[in-house]
Amino acid sequence: DPLEVDCCAYWADTFEFELSSAQIVPWRSAVGVPWDWAGTIPGNVLDGIDDLETVAPSASDFDDLLDLAAIYAPDILAGTVPPDVYFEFLANGSLVDTSLVQDNTYEPIWNWSSTYVLGPSDLVSFEFFDEDLVLDDAVGAIDMTLLDHQIWAGRGPLSIGPVDGLYRVFWEITPQ
């Protein structure tokens, strides 16, 4: 019975997380632009980035230059493809584990698991990213406290969403 709850889940502080999969929004909702582009960046665009400092001396760092490159080369994003998704598992803001990248998919599957001991004030996070050539894009994040885990543990597979750029994330939490 999927609604059956482990009798001791509420008092547990050690949990096994099993993150199975996610569903990603095809377009970044905040800015409404595609995740990636098909093919490679044209060589003349990469060469032109070096010349942008001459055209726009106010550009102070690489991010500014990339913004200018997007303005002068809008066709770079033509022919978009799904994101290359990975996630980071964090406890209290410190990285615990990083998943493998799932290339070109809106529905990544990981079958990842980890066991972790949570204290009363601990915060566990799953942060999802789209791997890119220069700067990885944030997809979405889910934060959970010890109380969240105690309530959800033993209830069977969970589906939570929507969260930021995620349709849903599917996982199971088991008390240990």
Side-chain angles (χ1 to χ4, degrees), residues 26-46:
W27 297 84
R28 283 186 279 175
S29 57
V31 292
V33 298
W35 286 108
D36 291 322
W37 61 88
T40 59
I41 300 173
N44 61 338
V45 172
L46 291 174

mmCIF file of all heavy atoms in Angstrom, residues 26-46:
data_model
loop_
_atom_site.group_PDB
_atom_site.id
_atom_site.type_symbol
_atom_site.label_atom_id
_atom_site.label_comp_id
_atom_site.label_asym_id
_atom_site.label_seq_id
_atom_site.Cartn_x
_atom_site.Cartn_y
_atom_site.Cartn_z
ATOM 1 N N PRO A 26 11.034 22.275 -20.801
ATOM 2 C CA PRO A 26 11.793 22.467 -22.043
ATOM 3 C C PRO A 26 12.375 23.854 -22.219
ATOM 4 O O PRO A 26 13.401 24.017 -22.843
ATOM 5 C CB PRO A 26 10.765 22.169 -23.127
ATOM 6 C CG PRO A 26 9.792 21.254 -22.480
ATOM 7 C CD PRO A 26 9.717 21.713 -21.047
ATOM 8 N N TRP A 27 11.726 24.878 -21.684
ATOM 9 C CA TRP A 27 12.255 26.236 -21.792
ATOM 10 C C TRP A 27 12.457 26.774 -20.391
ATOM 11 O O TRP A 27 11.659 26.534 -19.515
ATOM 12 C CB TRP A 27 11.276 27.137 -22.534
ATOM 13 C CG TRP A 27 11.077 26.686 -23.941
ATOM 14 C CD1 TRP A 27 10.213 25.713 -24.376
ATOM 15 C CD2 TRP A 27 11.774 27.140 -25.086
ATOM 16 N NE1 TRP A 27 10.331 25.539 -25.721
ATOM 17 C CE2 TRP A 27 11.275 26.416 -26.191
ATOM 18 C CE3 TRP A 27 12.753 28.091 -25.297
ATOM 19 C CZ2 TRP A 27 11.738 26.611 -27.485
ATOM 20 C CZ3 TRP A 27 13.208 28.280 -26.582
ATOM 21 C CH2 TRP A 27 12.701 27.558 -27.659
ATOM 22 N N ARG A 28 13.541 27.507 -20.193
ATOM 23 C CA ARG A 28 13.771 28.116 -18.887
ATOM 24 C C ARG A 28 12.667 29.128 -18.634
ATOM 25 O O ARG A 28 12.588 30.147 -19.312
ATOM 26 C CB ARG A 28 15.142 28.794 -18.847
ATOM 27 C CG ARG A 28 16.256 27.776 -18.689
ATOM 28 C CD ARG A 28 17.557 28.465 -18.518
ATOM 29 N NE ARG A 28 18.037 28.853 -19.846
ATOM 30 C CZ ARG A 28 19.117 29.570 -20.063
ATOM 31 N NH1 ARG A 28 19.831 29.994 -19.070
ATOM 32 N NH2 ARG A 28 19.496 29.856 -21.282
ATOM 33 N N SER A 29 11.847 28.854 -17.639
ATOM 34 C CA SER A 29 10.665 29.686 -17.426
ATOM 35 C C SER A 29 11.015 31.128 -17.087
ATOM 36 O O SER A 29 10.296 32.040 -17.447
ATOM 37 C CB SER A 29 9.796 29.082 -16.329
ATOM 38 O OG SER A 29 10.539 28.931 -15.142
ATOM 39 N N ALA A 30 12.097 31.359 -16.393
ATOM 40 C CA ALA A 30 12.435 32.723 -15.964
ATOM 41 C C ALA A 30 12.752 33.636 -17.140
ATOM 42 O O ALA A 30 12.380 34.793 -17.141
ATOM 43 C CB ALA A 30 13.606 32.696 -14.995
ATOM 44 N N VAL A 31 13.428 33.126 -18.145
ATOM 45 C CA VAL A 31 13.838 33.986 -19.254
ATOM 46 C C VAL A 31 13.272 33.550 -20.594
ATOM 47 O O VAL A 31 13.388 34.267 -21.574
ATOM 48 C CB VAL A 31 15.386 34.078 -19.344
ATOM 49 C CG1 VAL A 31 15.939 34.827 -18.151
ATOM 50 C CG2 VAL A 31 16.015 32.711 -19.435
ATOM 51 N N GLY A 32 12.681 32.368 -20.652
ATOM 52 C CA GLY A 32 12.026 31.926 -21.872
ATOM 53 C C GLY A 32 12.939 31.698 -23.047
ATOM 54 O O GLY A 32 12.551 31.914 -24.185
ATOM 55 N N VAL A 33 14.167 31.263 -22.799
ATOM 56 C CA VAL A 33 15.082 30.975 -23.903
ATOM 57 C C VAL A 33 15.470 29.510 -23.871
ATOM 58 O O VAL A 33 15.363 28.850 -22.853
ATOM 59 C CB VAL A 33 16.360 31.853 -23.842
ATOM 60 C CG1 VAL A 33 15.990 33.321 -23.960
ATOM 61 C CG2 VAL A 33 17.141 31.605 -22.574
ATOM 62 N N PRO A 34 15.950 28.978 -24.997
ATOM 63 C CA PRO A 34 16.303 27.558 -25.070
ATOM 64 C C PRO A 34 17.474 27.201 -24.148
ATOM 65 O O PRO A 34 18.286 28.045 -23.794
ATOM 66 C CB PRO A 34 16.713 27.372 -26.530
ATOM 67 C CG PRO A 34 16.123 28.521 -27.251
ATOM 68 C CD PRO A 34 16.091 29.655 -26.275
ATOM 69 N N TRP A 35 17.557 25.921 -23.795
ATOM 70 C CA TRP A 35 18.657 25.446 -22.963
ATOM 71 C C TRP A 35 19.977 25.454 -23.716
ATOM 72 O O TRP A 35 20.959 26.010 -23.270
ATOM 73 C CB TRP A 35 18.389 24.013 -22.500
ATOM 74 C CG TRP A 35 17.354 23.918 -21.445
ATOM 75 C CD1 TRP A 35 16.079 23.421 -21.585
ATOM 76 C CD2 TRP A 35 17.460 24.332 -20.088
ATOM 77 N NE1 TRP A 35 15.409 23.511 -20.399
ATOM 78 C CE2 TRP A 35 16.238 24.058 -19.453
ATOM 79 C CE3 TRP A 35 18.476 24.901 -19.330
ATOM 80 C CZ2 TRP A 35 16.009 24.330 -18.115
ATOM 81 C CZ3 TRP A 35 18.254 25.170 -17.992
ATOM 82 C CH2 TRP A 35 17.028 24.883 -17.406
ATOM 83 N N ASP A 36 20.043 24.772 -24.831
ATOM 84 C CA ASP A 36 21.289 24.566 -25.553
ATOM 85 C C ASP A 36 21.067 24.799 -27.038
ATOM 86 O O ASP A 36 19.956 25.019 -27.490
ATOM 87 C CB ASP A 36 21.798 23.131 -25.349
ATOM 88 C CG ASP A 36 22.264 22.886 -23.934
ATOM 89 O OD1 ASP A 36 22.868 23.793 -23.344
ATOM 90 O OD2 ASP A 36 22.031 21.787 -23.412
ATOM 91 N N TRP A 37 22.124 24.695 -27.802
ATOM 92 C CA TRP A 37 22.000 24.775 -29.243
ATOM 93 C C TRP A 37 22.612 23.522 -29.848
ATOM 94 O O TRP A 37 23.428 22.853 -29.239
ATOM 95 C CB TRP A 37 22.664 26.028 -29.805
ATOM 96 C CG TRP A 37 24.132 26.107 -29.548
ATOM 97 C CD1 TRP A 37 25.142 25.606 -30.302
ATOM 98 C CD2 TRP A 37 24.765 26.708 -28.418
ATOM 99 N NE1 TRP A 37 26.343 25.857 -29.729
ATOM 100 C CE2 TRP A 37 26.147 26.536 -28.560
ATOM 101 C CE3 TRP A 37 24.292 27.384 -27.292
ATOM 102 C CZ2 TRP A 37 27.057 27.003 -27.624
ATOM 103 C CZ3 TRP A 37 25.202 27.849 -26.367
ATOM 104 C CH2 TRP A 37 26.568 27.660 -26.553
ATOM 105 N N ALA A 38 22.191 23.210 -31.068
ATOM 106 C CA ALA A 38 22.728 22.046 -31.756
ATOM 107 C C ALA A 38 24.009 22.433 -32.466
ATOM 108 O O ALA A 38 24.165 23.558 -32.918
ATOM 109 C CB ALA A 38 21.695 21.520 -32.762
ATOM 110 N N GLY A 39 24.928 21.513 -32.564
ATOM 111 C CA GLY A 39 26.156 21.779 -33.299
ATOM 112 C C GLY A 39 27.193 22.500 -32.463
ATOM 113 O O GLY A 39 27.180 22.436 -31.241
ATOM 114 N N THR A 40 28.075 23.208 -33.134
ATOM 115 C CA THR A 40 29.165 23.895 -32.453
ATOM 116 C C THR A 40 29.046 25.398 -32.654
ATOM 117 O O THR A 40 28.370 25.857 -33.569
ATOM 118 C CB THR A 40 30.530 23.428 -33.002
ATOM 119 O OG1 THR A 40 30.558 23.704 -34.404
ATOM 120 C CG2 THR A 40 30.750 21.940 -32.780
ATOM 121 N N ILE A 41 29.714 26.151 -31.792
ATOM 122 C CA ILE A 41 29.741 27.603 -31.957
ATOM 123 C C ILE A 41 30.603 27.913 -33.175
ATOM 124 O O ILE A 41 31.725 27.409 -33.276
ATOM 125 C CB ILE A 41 30.346 28.287 -30.724
ATOM 126 C CG1 ILE A 41 29.510 27.951 -29.484
ATOM 127 C CG2 ILE A 41 30.442 29.791 -30.922
ATOM 128 C CD1 ILE A 41 30.108 28.446 -28.198
ATOM 129 N N PRO A 42 30.120 28.726 -34.089
ATOM 130 C CA PRO A 42 30.940 29.056 -35.257
ATOM 131 C C PRO A 42 32.274 29.673 -34.840
ATOM 132 O O PRO A 42 32.328 30.495 -33.924
ATOM 133 C CB PRO A 42 30.071 30.071 -36.013
ATOM 134 C CG PRO A 42 28.681 29.835 -35.520
ATOM 135 C CD PRO A 42 28.817 29.351 -34.110
ATOM 136 N N GLY A 43 33.345 29.271 -35.502
ATOM 137 C CA GLY A 43 34.683 29.757 -35.172
ATOM 138 C C GLY A 43 34.795 31.268 -35.225
ATOM 139 O O GLY A 43 35.482 31.878 -34.408
ATOM 140 N N ASN A 44 34.105 31.893 -36.183
ATOM 141 C CA ASN A 44 34.197 33.350 -36.288
ATOM 142 C C ASN A 44 33.581 34.047 -35.072
ATOM 143 O O ASN A 44 33.992 35.141 -34.711
ATOM 144 C CB ASN A 44 33.559 33.854 -37.588
ATOM 145 C CG ASN A 44 32.081 33.516 -37.681
ATOM 146 O OD1 ASN A 44 31.597 32.599 -37.019
ATOM 147 N ND2 ASN A 44 31.374 34.236 -38.528
ATOM 148 N N VAL A 45 32.611 33.398 -34.410
ATOM 149 C CA VAL A 45 32.038 33.988 -33.197
ATOM 150 C C VAL A 45 33.054 33.929 -32.072
ATOM 151 O O VAL A 45 33.256 34.903 -31.345
ATOM 152 C CB VAL A 45 30.732 33.266 -32.794
ATOM 153 C CG1 VAL A 45 30.252 33.746 -31.428
ATOM 154 C CG2 VAL A 45 29.661 33.488 -33.847
ATOM 155 N N LEU A 46 33.710 32.771 -31.934
ATOM 156 C CA LEU A 46 34.735 32.661 -30.889
ATOM 157 C C LEU A 46 35.869 33.647 -31.136
ATOM 158 O O LEU A 46 36.369 34.278 -30.207
ATOM 159 C CB LEU A 46 35.287 31.228 -30.833
ATOM 160 C CG LEU A 46 34.316 30.173 -30.314
ATOM 161 C CD1 LEU A 46 34.934 28.788 -30.438
ATOM 162 C CD2 LEU A 46 33.918 30.458 -28.887
#
